[in-house]
Amino acid sequence: MRLKEMAKSWALIILGSLLMAAAMRLFLVPNKIAPGGVSGLATVIHYVTGWHTGMLILLINLPLFLITLITDGWQFVLKTLLSVVAMSIGTDYLPIPMITGNLLLASLFGGVLMGYGLGMVQYAEGNSGGTALVSHLVHRVVPHMSIAWVLFAIDFIVVALSAFVFAMDIALYALISLYISSEVFDRVIIGFGSGKSIYIVSDKLNGIAE
């Protein structure tokens, strides 16, 4: 990869990770919204232990880094490490205050920022760590297993845990945030336009082609 392309890729990864950190700091963590994944798990543990959320995100990812280093090598791990470190530091130290205590607004806008940040990292061929890293490792070991189901299972467990630690209604807001971030992530990756694909099965190929 040329130096200019590499610099652009790393800049997008850092910017996307800082957007995710902003989502955590502005909307999600202060409102106890834990929309799945490592960031959601870190939010729950933060309120139980008092440890910094960003530090917890980094600690939870460390064993995943070691496994990925063995399976994928340094190049992949470095991009993932860059994203996780940027998000962890940003989550704990970005000089931005909580914007709203309204749970619906926090879940909506937190989901938008989180999804856009995730999309930027993925677009730059990076990896945000956490469940994305888990799904990557699972897919290597069990290629036929659906990544979507792996992600769903992890997110469901984290949201269920947040319902137990916080309250059921807060967990429901977490589900809203998770859905919004997934939708925005898809839009960033595939674009905001829309298109349709139609498959026509027929024995009259020539007539259709004309």
Side-chain angles (χ1 to χ4, degrees):
M1 182 183 292
R2 290 178 299 181
L3 186 60
K4 184 178 179 180
E5 292 175 347
M6 183 180 296
K8 180 181 177 182
S9 174
W10 284 48
L12 282 173
I13 289 172
I14 292 173
L15 181 57
S17 302
L18 290 178
L19 280 179
M20 290 188 286
M24 296 288 288
R25 196 163 179 84
L26 290 171
F27 302 109
L28 303 179
V29 176
N31 289 291
K32 301 181 180 179
I33 297 173
V38 165
S39 59
L41 179 60
T43 301
V44 174
I45 297 175
H46 162 71
Y47 278 98
V48 173
T49 65
W51 292 11
H52 291 301
T53 312
M55 180 188 69
L56 287 165
I57 291 172
L58 185 59
L59 289 176
I60 295 170
N61 272 288
L62 282 179
L64 300 176
F65 287 145
L66 296 176
I67 298 171
T68 309
L69 180 61
I70 297 171
T71 58
D72 291 84
W74 273 107
Q75 188 172 3
F76 184 83
V77 171
L78 281 175
K79 281 190 171 184
T80 307
L81 185 62
L82 176 66
S83 176
V84 172
V85 168
M87 182 182 178
S88 299
I89 294 174
T91 300
D92 285 343
Y93 299 109
L94 274 178
I96 47 178
M98 170 187 178
I99 286 183
T100 178
N102 183 297
L103 289 175
L104 180 58
L105 291 176
S107 61
L108 290 174
F109 284 96
V112 169
L113 273 182
M114 184 66 75
Y116 207 92
L118 281 167
M120 289 180 69
V121 172
Q122 185 69 30
Y123 183 80
E125 298 181 350
N127 190 295
S128 58
T131 49
L133 205 53
V134 171
S135 63
H136 172 78
L137 292 171
V138 169
H139 187 65
R140 286 184 64 91
V141 177
V142 192
H144 62 274
M145 181 175 289
S146 169
I147 291 178
W149 277 107
V150 175
L151 293 173
F152 172 78
I154 296 171
D155 290 334
F156 178 81
I157 291 170
V158 172
V159 172
L161 183 62
S162 75
F164 177 77
V165 174
F166 303 137
M168 178 58 74
D169 58 343
I170 295 179
L172 293 176
Y173 281 110
L175 287 176
I176 293 174
S177 187
L178 177 61
Y179 175 78
I180 295 295
S181 66
S182 300
E183 285 293 313
V184 173
F185 172 81
D186 285 342
R187 291 290 178 258
V188 173
I189 296 301
I190 66 177
F192 286 90
S194 62
K196 288 184 165 56
S197 177
I198 300 174
Y199 292 89
I200 301 174
V201 180
S202 173
D203 57 0
K204 299 180 180 179
L205 285 177
N206 294 330
I208 293 173
E210 291 175 4

mmCIF file of all heavy atoms in Angstrom, residues 121-161:
data_model
loop_
_atom_site.group_PDB
_atom_site.id
_atom_site.type_symbol
_atom_site.label_atom_id
_atom_site.label_comp_id
_atom_site.label_asym_id
_atom_site.label_seq_id
_atom_site.Cartn_x
_atom_site.Cartn_y
_atom_site.Cartn_z
ATOM 1 N N VAL A 121 -14.520 3.059 9.995
ATOM 2 C CA VAL A 121 -13.431 2.123 10.301
ATOM 3 C C VAL A 121 -13.447 0.949 9.323
ATOM 4 O O VAL A 121 -12.414 0.547 8.786
ATOM 5 C CB VAL A 121 -13.527 1.618 11.755
ATOM 6 C CG1 VAL A 121 -12.513 0.503 12.012
ATOM 7 C CG2 VAL A 121 -13.309 2.767 12.727
ATOM 8 N N GLN A 122 -14.628 0.399 9.081
ATOM 9 C CA GLN A 122 -14.766 -0.725 8.168
ATOM 10 C C GLN A 122 -14.424 -0.312 6.738
ATOM 11 O O GLN A 122 -13.779 -1.060 5.999
ATOM 12 C CB GLN A 122 -16.192 -1.270 8.224
ATOM 13 C CG GLN A 122 -16.434 -2.531 7.409
ATOM 14 C CD GLN A 122 -15.733 -3.745 7.977
ATOM 15 O OE1 GLN A 122 -15.537 -3.811 9.196
ATOM 16 N NE2 GLN A 122 -15.341 -4.676 7.141
ATOM 17 N N TYR A 123 -14.849 0.877 6.342
ATOM 18 C CA TYR A 123 -14.568 1.398 4.988
ATOM 19 C C TYR A 123 -13.069 1.528 4.758
ATOM 20 O O TYR A 123 -12.584 1.314 3.645
ATOM 21 C CB TYR A 123 -15.258 2.746 4.806
ATOM 22 C CG TYR A 123 -15.091 3.336 3.433
ATOM 23 C CD1 TYR A 123 -15.880 2.903 2.371
ATOM 24 C CD2 TYR A 123 -14.141 4.326 3.199
ATOM 25 C CE1 TYR A 123 -15.728 3.435 1.097
ATOM 26 C CE2 TYR A 123 -13.981 4.864 1.924
ATOM 27 C CZ TYR A 123 -14.777 4.419 0.887
ATOM 28 O OH TYR A 123 -14.613 4.956 -0.379
ATOM 29 N N ALA A 124 -12.337 1.852 5.817
ATOM 30 C CA ALA A 124 -10.883 1.993 5.722
ATOM 31 C C ALA A 124 -10.173 0.649 5.863
ATOM 32 O O ALA A 124 -8.957 0.594 6.031
ATOM 33 C CB ALA A 124 -10.381 2.958 6.782
ATOM 34 N N GLU A 125 -10.950 -0.443 5.810
ATOM 35 C CA GLU A 125 -10.426 -1.811 5.933
ATOM 36 C C GLU A 125 -9.774 -2.037 7.293
ATOM 37 O O GLU A 125 -8.785 -2.764 7.416
ATOM 38 C CB GLU A 125 -9.446 -2.123 4.797
ATOM 39 C CG GLU A 125 -10.090 -2.064 3.416
ATOM 40 C CD GLU A 125 -9.116 -2.404 2.305
ATOM 41 O OE1 GLU A 125 -7.904 -2.505 2.575
ATOM 42 O OE2 GLU A 125 -9.572 -2.579 1.164
ATOM 43 N N GLY A 126 -10.341 -1.370 8.304
ATOM 44 C CA GLY A 126 -9.888 -1.575 9.665
ATOM 45 C C GLY A 126 -10.851 -2.473 10.412
ATOM 46 O O GLY A 126 -11.790 -3.030 9.837
ATOM 47 N N ASN A 127 -10.616 -2.614 11.705
ATOM 48 C CA ASN A 127 -11.482 -3.428 12.547
ATOM 49 C C ASN A 127 -11.579 -2.735 13.890
ATOM 50 O O ASN A 127 -10.565 -2.343 14.468
ATOM 51 C CB ASN A 127 -10.903 -4.845 12.692
ATOM 52 C CG ASN A 127 -11.868 -5.809 13.348
ATOM 53 O OD1 ASN A 127 -12.219 -5.651 14.507
ATOM 54 N ND2 ASN A 127 -12.297 -6.826 12.614
ATOM 55 N N SER A 128 -12.792 -2.565 14.370
ATOM 56 C CA SER A 128 -13.007 -1.812 15.603
ATOM 57 C C SER A 128 -12.813 -2.651 16.857
ATOM 58 O O SER A 128 -13.038 -2.170 17.969
ATOM 59 C CB SER A 128 -14.418 -1.211 15.608
ATOM 60 O OG SER A 128 -15.390 -2.234 15.475
ATOM 61 N N GLY A 129 -12.390 -3.905 16.693
ATOM 62 C CA GLY A 129 -12.184 -4.771 17.848
ATOM 63 C C GLY A 129 -13.501 -5.283 18.402
ATOM 64 O O GLY A 129 -14.547 -5.210 17.755
ATOM 65 N N GLY A 130 -13.462 -5.795 19.605
ATOM 66 C CA GLY A 130 -14.690 -6.239 20.262
ATOM 67 C C GLY A 130 -15.400 -7.346 19.510
ATOM 68 O O GLY A 130 -14.780 -8.323 19.070
ATOM 69 N N THR A 131 -16.712 -7.188 19.346
ATOM 70 C CA THR A 131 -17.502 -8.226 18.688
ATOM 71 C C THR A 131 -17.088 -8.401 17.220
ATOM 72 O O THR A 131 -17.203 -9.499 16.686
ATOM 73 C CB THR A 131 -18.998 -7.895 18.759
ATOM 74 O OG1 THR A 131 -19.213 -6.546 18.332
ATOM 75 C CG2 THR A 131 -19.527 -8.047 20.168
ATOM 76 N N ALA A 132 -16.633 -7.314 16.582
ATOM 77 C CA ALA A 132 -16.158 -7.441 15.197
ATOM 78 C C ALA A 132 -14.960 -8.372 15.134
ATOM 79 O O ALA A 132 -14.824 -9.183 14.211
ATOM 80 C CB ALA A 132 -15.796 -6.066 14.642
ATOM 81 N N LEU A 133 -14.099 -8.274 16.143
ATOM 82 C CA LEU A 133 -12.919 -9.142 16.198
ATOM 83 C C LEU A 133 -13.322 -10.571 16.543
ATOM 84 O O LEU A 133 -12.787 -11.533 15.968
ATOM 85 C CB LEU A 133 -11.948 -8.602 17.252
ATOM 86 C CG LEU A 133 -10.461 -8.946 17.095
ATOM 87 C CD1 LEU A 133 -9.960 -8.565 15.712
ATOM 88 C CD2 LEU A 133 -9.646 -8.238 18.165
ATOM 89 N N VAL A 134 -14.268 -10.728 17.460
ATOM 90 C CA VAL A 134 -14.757 -12.060 17.823
ATOM 91 C C VAL A 134 -15.369 -12.753 16.611
ATOM 92 O O VAL A 134 -15.087 -13.924 16.329
ATOM 93 C CB VAL A 134 -15.796 -11.968 18.966
ATOM 94 C CG1 VAL A 134 -16.456 -13.323 19.184
ATOM 95 C CG2 VAL A 134 -15.138 -11.499 20.245
ATOM 96 N N SER A 135 -16.202 -12.029 15.876
ATOM 97 C CA SER A 135 -16.855 -12.620 14.700
ATOM 98 C C SER A 135 -15.820 -12.997 13.646
ATOM 99 O O SER A 135 -15.955 -14.025 12.969
ATOM 100 C CB SER A 135 -17.871 -11.652 14.110
ATOM 101 O OG SER A 135 -17.252 -10.466 13.650
ATOM 102 N N HIS A 136 -14.772 -12.168 13.510
ATOM 103 C CA HIS A 136 -13.696 -12.475 12.562
ATOM 104 C C HIS A 136 -12.994 -13.772 12.952
ATOM 105 O O HIS A 136 -12.739 -14.636 12.100
ATOM 106 C CB HIS A 136 -12.694 -11.315 12.543
ATOM 107 C CG HIS A 136 -11.444 -11.590 11.764
ATOM 108 N ND1 HIS A 136 -11.396 -11.534 10.379
ATOM 109 C CD2 HIS A 136 -10.194 -11.945 12.169
ATOM 110 C CE1 HIS A 136 -10.169 -11.838 9.975
ATOM 111 N NE2 HIS A 136 -9.430 -12.082 11.041
ATOM 112 N N LEU A 137 -12.705 -13.938 14.239
ATOM 113 C CA LEU A 137 -12.013 -15.136 14.721
ATOM 114 C C LEU A 137 -12.912 -16.371 14.602
ATOM 115 O O LEU A 137 -12.454 -17.443 14.187
ATOM 116 C CB LEU A 137 -11.581 -14.937 16.175
ATOM 117 C CG LEU A 137 -10.491 -13.888 16.410
ATOM 118 C CD1 LEU A 137 -10.313 -13.615 17.902
ATOM 119 C CD2 LEU A 137 -9.166 -14.338 15.795
ATOM 120 N N VAL A 138 -14.183 -16.218 14.945
ATOM 121 C CA VAL A 138 -15.129 -17.344 14.848
ATOM 122 C C VAL A 138 -15.267 -17.793 13.399
ATOM 123 O O VAL A 138 -15.297 -18.996 13.102
ATOM 124 C CB VAL A 138 -16.507 -16.961 15.433
ATOM 125 C CG1 VAL A 138 -17.549 -18.015 15.089
ATOM 126 C CG2 VAL A 138 -16.413 -16.779 16.939
ATOM 127 N N HIS A 139 -15.329 -16.830 12.486
ATOM 128 C CA HIS A 139 -15.482 -17.157 11.067
ATOM 129 C C HIS A 139 -14.257 -17.903 10.536
ATOM 130 O O HIS A 139 -14.390 -18.764 9.663
ATOM 131 C CB HIS A 139 -15.700 -15.882 10.256
ATOM 132 C CG HIS A 139 -16.039 -16.142 8.820
ATOM 133 N ND1 HIS A 139 -17.206 -16.769 8.434
ATOM 134 C CD2 HIS A 139 -15.365 -15.872 7.674
ATOM 135 C CE1 HIS A 139 -17.234 -16.875 7.109
ATOM 136 N NE2 HIS A 139 -16.139 -16.339 6.633
ATOM 137 N N ARG A 140 -13.091 -17.612 11.073
ATOM 138 C CA ARG A 140 -11.881 -18.338 10.661
ATOM 139 C C ARG A 140 -11.928 -19.791 11.120
ATOM 140 O O ARG A 140 -11.518 -20.700 10.399
ATOM 141 C CB ARG A 140 -10.626 -17.659 11.224
ATOM 142 C CG ARG A 140 -10.241 -16.366 10.546
ATOM 143 C CD ARG A 140 -8.938 -15.833 11.114
ATOM 144 N NE ARG A 140 -7.842 -16.746 10.822
ATOM 145 C CZ ARG A 140 -7.073 -16.683 9.742
ATOM 146 N NH1 ARG A 140 -7.289 -15.742 8.839
ATOM 147 N NH2 ARG A 140 -6.093 -17.542 9.556
ATOM 148 N N VAL A 141 -12.433 -19.998 12.334
ATOM 149 C CA VAL A 141 -12.471 -21.345 12.902
ATOM 150 C C VAL A 141 -13.652 -22.136 12.356
ATOM 151 O O VAL A 141 -13.529 -23.323 12.025
ATOM 152 C CB VAL A 141 -12.551 -21.268 14.445
ATOM 153 C CG1 VAL A 141 -12.668 -22.673 15.037
ATOM 154 C CG2 VAL A 141 -11.325 -20.565 14.996
ATOM 155 N N VAL A 142 -14.817 -21.473 12.264
ATOM 156 C CA VAL A 142 -16.032 -22.135 11.781
ATOM 157 C C VAL A 142 -16.583 -21.322 10.608
ATOM 158 O O VAL A 142 -17.507 -20.514 10.788
ATOM 159 C CB VAL A 142 -17.085 -22.254 12.899
ATOM 160 C CG1 VAL A 142 -18.205 -23.202 12.472
ATOM 161 C CG2 VAL A 142 -16.468 -22.698 14.203
ATOM 162 N N PRO A 143 -16.042 -21.504 9.392
ATOM 163 C CA PRO A 143 -16.414 -20.660 8.248
ATOM 164 C C PRO A 143 -17.893 -20.701 7.894
ATOM 165 O O PRO A 143 -18.432 -19.725 7.375
ATOM 166 C CB PRO A 143 -15.565 -21.238 7.098
ATOM 167 C CG PRO A 143 -14.458 -21.971 7.762
ATOM 168 C CD PRO A 143 -15.027 -22.501 9.036
ATOM 169 N N HIS A 144 -18.564 -21.831 8.168
ATOM 170 C CA HIS A 144 -19.970 -21.950 7.776
ATOM 171 C C HIS A 144 -20.918 -21.264 8.758
ATOM 172 O O HIS A 144 -22.105 -21.116 8.472
ATOM 173 C CB HIS A 144 -20.353 -23.429 7.646
ATOM 174 C CG HIS A 144 -20.234 -24.197 8.929
ATOM 175 N ND1 HIS A 144 -19.048 -24.764 9.340
ATOM 176 C CD2 HIS A 144 -21.139 -24.467 9.900
ATOM 177 C CE1 HIS A 144 -19.234 -25.376 10.502
ATOM 178 N NE2 HIS A 144 -20.491 -25.207 10.864
ATOM 179 N N MET A 145 -20.404 -20.832 9.917
ATOM 180 C CA MET A 145 -21.268 -20.177 10.900
ATOM 181 C C MET A 145 -21.539 -18.737 10.480
ATOM 182 O O MET A 145 -20.620 -18.013 10.082
ATOM 183 C CB MET A 145 -20.620 -20.211 12.293
ATOM 184 C CG MET A 145 -21.481 -19.569 13.380
ATOM 185 S SD MET A 145 -20.783 -19.749 15.038
ATOM 186 C CE MET A 145 -21.053 -21.507 15.307
ATOM 187 N N SER A 146 -22.768 -18.332 10.581
ATOM 188 C CA SER A 146 -23.158 -16.977 10.193
ATOM 189 C C SER A 146 -22.580 -15.948 11.161
ATOM 190 O O SER A 146 -22.790 -16.030 12.376
ATOM 191 C CB SER A 146 -24.686 -16.852 10.174
ATOM 192 O OG SER A 146 -25.074 -15.512 10.056
ATOM 193 N N ILE A 147 -21.842 -14.970 10.623
ATOM 194 C CA ILE A 147 -21.293 -13.902 11.448
ATOM 195 C C ILE A 147 -22.419 -13.095 12.094
ATOM 196 O O ILE A 147 -22.320 -12.667 13.239
ATOM 197 C CB ILE A 147 -20.380 -12.990 10.600
ATOM 198 C CG1 ILE A 147 -19.110 -13.751 10.194
ATOM 199 C CG2 ILE A 147 -20.012 -11.724 11.365
ATOM 200 C CD1 ILE A 147 -18.174 -12.955 9.319
ATOM 201 N N ALA A 148 -23.498 -12.911 11.334
ATOM 202 C CA ALA A 148 -24.633 -12.145 11.857
ATOM 203 C C ALA A 148 -25.183 -12.770 13.135
ATOM 204 O O ALA A 148 -25.525 -12.068 14.095
ATOM 205 C CB ALA A 148 -25.728 -12.052 10.801
ATOM 206 N N TRP A 149 -25.241 -14.109 13.164
ATOM 207 C CA TRP A 149 -25.762 -14.780 14.347
ATOM 208 C C TRP A 149 -24.800 -14.682 15.523
ATOM 209 O O TRP A 149 -25.228 -14.593 16.682
ATOM 210 C CB TRP A 149 -26.063 -16.246 14.036
ATOM 211 C CG TRP A 149 -27.405 -16.428 13.385
ATOM 212 C CD1 TRP A 149 -27.663 -16.738 12.087
ATOM 213 C CD2 TRP A 149 -28.687 -16.259 14.011
ATOM 214 N NE1 TRP A 149 -29.015 -16.778 11.848
ATOM 215 C CE2 TRP A 149 -29.679 -16.492 13.010
ATOM 216 C CE3 TRP A 149 -29.101 -15.932 15.301
ATOM 217 C CZ2 TRP A 149 -31.034 -16.414 13.282
ATOM 218 C CZ3 TRP A 149 -30.467 -15.858 15.563
ATOM 219 C CH2 TRP A 149 -31.410 -16.103 14.560
ATOM 220 N N VAL A 150 -23.506 -14.713 15.237
ATOM 221 C CA VAL A 150 -22.502 -14.545 16.301
ATOM 222 C C VAL A 150 -22.653 -13.165 16.936
ATOM 223 O O VAL A 150 -22.689 -13.025 18.161
ATOM 224 C CB VAL A 150 -21.077 -14.725 15.749
ATOM 225 C CG1 VAL A 150 -20.040 -14.425 16.835
ATOM 226 C CG2 VAL A 150 -20.872 -16.139 15.217
ATOM 227 N N LEU A 151 -22.747 -12.140 16.084
ATOM 228 C CA LEU A 151 -22.908 -10.778 16.582
ATOM 229 C C LEU A 151 -24.209 -10.622 17.367
ATOM 230 O O LEU A 151 -24.234 -9.991 18.434
ATOM 231 C CB LEU A 151 -22.893 -9.789 15.406
ATOM 232 C CG LEU A 151 -21.568 -9.652 14.661
ATOM 233 C CD1 LEU A 151 -21.740 -8.776 13.432
ATOM 234 C CD2 LEU A 151 -20.492 -9.086 15.568
ATOM 235 N N PHE A 152 -25.287 -11.214 16.846
ATOM 236 C CA PHE A 152 -26.581 -11.129 17.519
ATOM 237 C C PHE A 152 -26.510 -11.765 18.903
ATOM 238 O O PHE A 152 -27.036 -11.206 19.880
ATOM 239 C CB PHE A 152 -27.665 -11.821 16.686
ATOM 240 C CG PHE A 152 -28.991 -11.935 17.390
ATOM 241 C CD1 PHE A 152 -29.837 -10.839 17.475
ATOM 242 C CD2 PHE A 152 -29.380 -13.136 17.979
ATOM 243 C CE1 PHE A 152 -31.061 -10.937 18.137
ATOM 244 C CE2 PHE A 152 -30.588 -13.241 18.644
ATOM 245 C CZ PHE A 152 -31.435 -12.135 18.723
ATOM 246 N N ALA A 153 -25.876 -12.931 18.997
ATOM 247 C CA ALA A 153 -25.789 -13.642 20.273
ATOM 248 C C ALA A 153 -25.028 -12.818 21.312
ATOM 249 O O ALA A 153 -25.467 -12.686 22.467
ATOM 250 C CB ALA A 153 -25.110 -14.995 20.077
ATOM 251 N N ILE A 154 -23.901 -12.235 20.902
ATOM 252 C CA ILE A 154 -23.100 -11.433 21.829
ATOM 253 C C ILE A 154 -23.863 -10.187 22.266
ATOM 254 O O ILE A 154 -23.918 -9.854 23.456
ATOM 255 C CB ILE A 154 -21.756 -11.040 21.183
ATOM 256 C CG1 ILE A 154 -20.924 -12.295 20.896
ATOM 257 C CG2 ILE A 154 -20.972 -10.091 22.091
ATOM 258 C CD1 ILE A 154 -19.688 -12.029 20.073
ATOM 259 N N ASP A 155 -24.452 -9.491 21.296
ATOM 260 C CA ASP A 155 -25.203 -8.273 21.612
ATOM 261 C C ASP A 155 -26.390 -8.572 22.518
ATOM 262 O O ASP A 155 -26.689 -7.802 23.445
ATOM 263 C CB ASP A 155 -25.681 -7.598 20.321
ATOM 264 C CG ASP A 155 -24.544 -6.991 19.523
ATOM 265 O OD1 ASP A 155 -23.518 -6.657 20.135
ATOM 266 O OD2 ASP A 155 -24.687 -6.857 18.301
ATOM 267 N N PHE A 156 -27.078 -9.693 22.265
ATOM 268 C CA PHE A 156 -28.230 -10.070 23.080
ATOM 269 C C PHE A 156 -27.809 -10.301 24.532
ATOM 270 O O PHE A 156 -28.489 -9.861 25.465
ATOM 271 C CB PHE A 156 -28.885 -11.332 22.522
ATOM 272 C CG PHE A 156 -30.053 -11.823 23.342
ATOM 273 C CD1 PHE A 156 -31.305 -11.241 23.197
ATOM 274 C CD2 PHE A 156 -29.896 -12.846 24.264
ATOM 275 C CE1 PHE A 156 -32.385 -11.678 23.961
ATOM 276 C CE2 PHE A 156 -30.961 -13.287 25.028
ATOM 277 C CZ PHE A 156 -32.209 -12.702 24.867
ATOM 278 N N ILE A 157 -26.692 -10.984 24.723
ATOM 279 C CA ILE A 157 -26.206 -11.268 26.082
ATOM 280 C C ILE A 157 -25.884 -9.965 26.814
ATOM 281 O O ILE A 157 -26.233 -9.785 27.987
ATOM 282 C CB ILE A 157 -24.964 -12.179 26.033
ATOM 283 C CG1 ILE A 157 -25.363 -13.580 25.555
ATOM 284 C CG2 ILE A 157 -24.287 -12.263 27.402
ATOM 285 C CD1 ILE A 157 -24.184 -14.481 25.240
ATOM 286 N N VAL A 158 -25.212 -9.032 26.118
ATOM 287 C CA VAL A 158 -24.831 -7.761 26.749
ATOM 288 C C VAL A 158 -26.071 -6.935 27.097
ATOM 289 O O VAL A 158 -26.164 -6.371 28.192
ATOM 290 C CB VAL A 158 -23.889 -6.954 25.824
ATOM 291 C CG1 VAL A 158 -23.644 -5.560 26.393
ATOM 292 C CG2 VAL A 158 -22.572 -7.688 25.651
ATOM 293 N N VAL A 159 -27.028 -6.868 26.171
ATOM 294 C CA VAL A 159 -28.254 -6.107 26.440
ATOM 295 C C VAL A 159 -29.040 -6.745 27.592
ATOM 296 O O VAL A 159 -29.583 -6.040 28.449
ATOM 297 C CB VAL A 159 -29.129 -6.010 25.171
ATOM 298 C CG1 VAL A 159 -30.487 -5.407 25.499
ATOM 299 C CG2 VAL A 159 -28.432 -5.171 24.111
ATOM 300 N N ALA A 160 -29.085 -8.073 27.631
ATOM 301 C CA ALA A 160 -29.776 -8.764 28.724
ATOM 302 C C ALA A 160 -29.088 -8.464 30.061
ATOM 303 O O ALA A 160 -29.758 -8.266 31.089
ATOM 304 C CB ALA A 160 -29.792 -10.265 28.458
ATOM 305 N N LEU A 161 -27.768 -8.414 30.032
ATOM 306 C CA LEU A 161 -27.009 -8.085 31.253
ATOM 307 C C LEU A 161 -27.321 -6.660 31.710
ATOM 308 O O LEU A 161 -27.470 -6.401 32.909
ATOM 309 C CB LEU A 161 -25.515 -8.243 30.986
ATOM 310 C CG LEU A 161 -24.568 -8.005 32.164
ATOM 311 C CD1 LEU A 161 -24.839 -9.008 33.278
ATOM 312 C CD2 LEU A 161 -23.110 -8.101 31.711
#
